[in-house]
Amino acid sequence: MGTIQGTTTIRRKAKRNTRSAGDKKEQNKKCSVGTIANGFLRHQFLPLCEPERHPSNRKAVEKGFFDSVALLSTRLGLEVLDVCEKPYPCNVLLAHWDICRQLIQVQKPGQLFELSIQMEDAQTFLSLSSTLETNRTLYYIPVIPLYHLLQQRSTRPAGRLLLMVCAYLYQVADIPYYREGFTALNYHYDMIEEWTFEEMEQYEPLEGNQMVSELYAAAHYGDIMLRRIRSPYHLVNSEELIHKFKSRNELDKSCKRLAEQAFELYRQYPKRRIHDNIPAFDVDEQVDGIIHIDQYVSFVADTSGWLSGQVEQMVNAEMQEMAYIEEPVMRQDFKPDAPVDIDTLEFEAKVFDLLHELCYLLNHLP
C-alpha cells in the first residue's frame, strides 16, 4: 500500500490474550477409548439462561424482536431461523445467534458487523453497526512526486488527471493538507523544522544542507501544489478532461482509471466527506487517547527521504500510547418507524480504495 515506508501499525485498544502460543513440538498421539454413541453429537443444547433477569413484558419483547428480525432479514436478504418450538428466551437467543452467523458470511472484506438488541421506550428491536476497518494504515498522499510529474512534458497529461483526483479528495472528500495550520501533519512538520534549526550545529555541513533542502522543498512545492489542488477548474472540467485523454502506456491507463473512479464518486456523492460517519466518542474518553482520522489520512510532502522518516517517527511515537482509533461507523435500527433505505459505508469503502491506489501509484512512479 502507498504509505510512509510501507504499512505502519496503529495500536487498537489492548486485549487480553486468550491463550499462550504453547510449544510448537508435535503433540503425543492419543487413541480414543473404545466406541461412543453419536447421539450426543446430534443433540442440540439450549443456551443457559437466568430466569430472574428476563424482562417481565415477555410478549412485547418477543413481538418487537421478531418483527425486527423480519425487517432485517428482508432488507439484507437473510433467512429467518424457525424457533417457534423453542421456549422463551431461548428462541430470542437462537434467532439472534443465527442472524449474527449469517452476517459474518455476507460482510465484505474490511467491514465489521455488530448486532445488538436494543430496548428503548418499551420497544425492543435490533440495531446493526457496521464499521469500516482502515487496516491500521497511514494513507498519506505525497504531492512532490505529483509536482515533478506535472513538470515533464511527456507525463503532464497524466499528471493533470491525478491533480483532478487530488482536487476531488481535498475539495469534496475533505482530506486535510499538511501546509494548512489547523491540520495534524502541519504540527509535525513545524516541530521537525524547529528542532532541526535548533540543533543544526550538531550536524555535518553536508547533512545539514540536505535537511534544510528537504524542509524548503516541503514548504515551497507544498504551497504550489496546494494552490493547484484548491482550484475549482479541475473539478468543473473533470469529465471533459477524462473524455479527451488518450492512454499511451501503463502509467496513462492507471491515471485514467483513478480519475474515472474519482469522477464517479464525485457524481454519486457530491457532498459526502470522509469523516461524515466518524462517531463521536463518549465524553468520559480521554481526548489524547484517540487516533483521529486526520492523523492517518492526509496530504504530505513526500514519502521518501530524511524528512519523511522524521514524520513517520513522530507519528508512530504519538500513536503508540493511544487506545482508540476513529473509523467510519454506520448504525441502522430495524424497527417499524425507521427509514426503509439502508445507508451503507459504500462511499467510505470506495474512497479508501481510491486512496490506496493513488498512494501506491505516486510512490512507485517511474
Side-chain angles (χ1 to χ4, degrees), residues 54-122:
H54 299 163
S56 56
N57 52 342
R58 165 185 167 179
K59 292 185 178 179
V61 171
E62 280 188 302
K63 183 180 186 307
F65 174 80
F66 286 105
D67 287 347
S68 184
V69 168
L71 285 173
L72 184 148
S73 301
T74 299
R75 295 179 190 177
L76 298 184
L78 306 180
E79 297 182 0
V80 180
L81 180 67
D82 184 7
V83 293
C84 295
E85 297 182 357
K86 305 300 180 184
Y88 177 85
C90 292
N91 54 352
V92 171
L93 296 175
L94 284 173
H96 181 270
W97 169 83
D98 187 67
I99 292 295
C100 290
R101 177 186 62 82
Q102 294 185 64
L103 287 174
I104 293 176
Q105 297 175 353
V106 301
Q107 66 186 8
K108 299 177 181 179
Q111 189 177 37
L112 182 64
F113 285 140
E114 183 177 354
L115 186 67
S116 60
I117 302 176
Q118 302 291 327
M119 291 185 180
E120 297 179 1
D121 302 326

Side-chain angles (χ1 to χ4, degrees), residues 84-85 139 147 152 162 185 214 237 239 274 279 282 285:
C84 295
E85 297 182 357
Y139 293 87
Y147 172 84
Q152 302 177 38
L162 295 186
L185 268 294
E214 290 194 30
N237 298 279
E239 186 173 11
I274 196 170
D282 296 335
E285 301 286 4

